[in-house]
Amino acid sequence: MQLHDAGVVITGGGNGIGAAMARRFAALGARVVVNDLHAGSCDAVASEIGGFSVPGDAATATGIQALVDAARAHLGAIDLFCANAGVGTGGGPEAPEDDWDLAWRVNVMAHVRAARALLPDWLDRGRGHFLATVSAAGLLTMLGSAPYSVTKHGALAFAEWMQITYADRGVTVQALCPQGVRTAMLEASGTAGKLLLGAESISPEQAADAVVAGLADGGFLILPHPEVAGYYAARAADPDRWQGQMRKLQRMISAETATDRPSASTAATHTEGTAR
Ligand SMILES: NC(=O)c1ccc[n+]([C@@H]2O[C@H](COP(=O)([O-])OP(=O)(O)OC[C@H]3O[C@@H](n4cnc5c(N)ncnc54)[C@H](O)[C@@H]3O)[C@@H](O)[C@H]2O)c1
């Protein structure tokens, strides 16, 4: 798609990948509406790029509707909606109910609710573009973080369903699936995140470059770490072998965590299928 003069909305645009996309899109001539739960960073990014700030919760039905209404009033029409806000909740089934609920709400239901608010207008116009920031965790897994892995798989499934259902009616859906990106989320991701993703992490600006290339290319998956395509294929071709490799990594992380002596070098070459 053409970014010049496009009306763009970015959720979670106050920091990290969303802020880098906002800056990059604005530099390419897009008219950008920045959303973030954190009003201060939302306003700061919007004012830096000459965009429009709409702080608020992009995961609730009322929050999304308010964002879409404000963006339409400002832009005229929304050409590209980037469902980028996400939360990186750790743990397994023992993680608190509230953490699981938050992961579902922000990582999955925010996308469903945004689509519900956007589709009627997009289907009338016969065009619209939805970019879901998923994660390579949606194609593979994230060791140490069941809520994140499960909800990112959900986000990918929803994006795929949307693309299959609406592409013939002019609505394009793409899924951005990076591994480690050096943002506050990666910083907060604990031993597994740092050991497995740190060494091959990219900057938010590199992720934004991959998004611009991916929007021009139009393919469903946007993979800022191209090696993820190989991991995804290996997982599909031989799930048991792939799980065997992942179990080795899990044992390594368990050992590192138990002895509390992280050493990034042990993990640098072993990111076969773990992703933030
Ligand atoms: N950093 C990584 O390694 C990585 C890798 C793959 C995918 N991702 C995904 O990229 C997206 C952006 O993450 P990031 O790394 O830039 O993290 P980040 O923490 O730097 O930024 C996320 C932003 O989203 C905002 N946010 C959270 N919940 C919100 C809500 N309900 N409504 C509006 N804003 C909300 C936060 O305030 C924050 O500013 C997420 O979906 C994340 O899962 C990140």
Side-chain angles (χ1 to χ4, degrees), residues 184-256:
M185 184 181 286
L186 184 59
E187 191 54 39
S189 67
T191 305
K194 291 199 184 90
L195 286 180
L196 295 167
L197 305 176
E200 292 170 17
S201 64
I202 60 173
S203 67
E205 291 71 29
Q206 287 173 298
D209 287 345
V211 169
V212 170
L215 289 172
D217 171 74
F220 176 65
L221 291 179
I222 300 177
L223 303 178
H225 299 77
E227 62 271 27
V228 167
Y231 306 155
Y232 188 43
R235 172 180 178 269
D238 191 342
D240 295 313
R241 183 167 186 278
W242 179 79
Q243 284 180 16
Q245 292 170 341
M246 296 307 292
R247 288 169 60 194
K248 268 191 221 155
L249 289 176
Q250 180 59 62
R251 284 195 289 275
M252 185 188 80
I253 288 167
S254 301
E256 293 275 359

Side-chain angles (χ1 to χ4, degrees), residues 1-9 29-33 71 75-81 122 129:
M1 75 164 285
Q2 271 286 348
L3 282 164
H4 186 74
D5 206 36
V8 179
V9 179
R31 296 169 293 121
V32 181
V33 170
L75 298 169
I78 297 169
D79 299 303
L80 168 64
F81 188 95
W122 282 356
H129 206 115

Side-chain angles (χ1 to χ4, degrees), residues 9 13 16 26-27 67-68 76 90 100 110 134 160 174 188 205 214 220 228 267 269:
V9 179
L67 170 61
V68 167
W100 278 96
V134 183
E160 182 180 70
Q174 291 178 280
E205 291 71 29
F220 176 65
V228 167
T269 57

Side-chain angles (χ1 to χ4, degrees), residues 84-104:
N84 168 77
V87 288
T89 313
E94 79 292 348
E97 282 284 316
D98 285 352
D99 287 5
W100 278 96
D101 285 347
L102 181 69
W104 277 113

Side-chain angles (χ1 to χ4, degrees), residues 117-174:
L118 293 161
L119 276 170
D121 179 57
W122 282 356
L123 294 174
D124 275 355
R125 295 169 75 209
R127 68 192 167 92
H129 206 115
F130 190 91
L131 174 69
T133 302
V134 183
S135 166
L139 298 164
L140 305 165
T141 195
M142 179 61 202
L143 297 178
S145 185
Y148 193 77
S149 301
V150 170
T151 56
K152 289 296 184 177
H153 275 258
L156 188 78
F158 182 65
E160 182 180 70
W161 185 93
M162 290 254 291
Q163 170 66 358
I164 291 166
T165 306
Y166 296 114
D168 289 345
R169 297 172 68 184
V171 174
T172 302
V173 180
Q174 291 178 280

Side-chain angles (χ1 to χ4, degrees), residues 15 17 36-37 57-58 84 133-134 148 152 179 181 183 276:
N15 289 291
I17 297 168
D36 203 284
L37 202 50
D57 190 339
N84 168 77
T133 302
V134 183
Y148 193 77
K152 289 296 184 177
Q179 291 208 111
V181 183
T183 67
R276 175 45 79 178

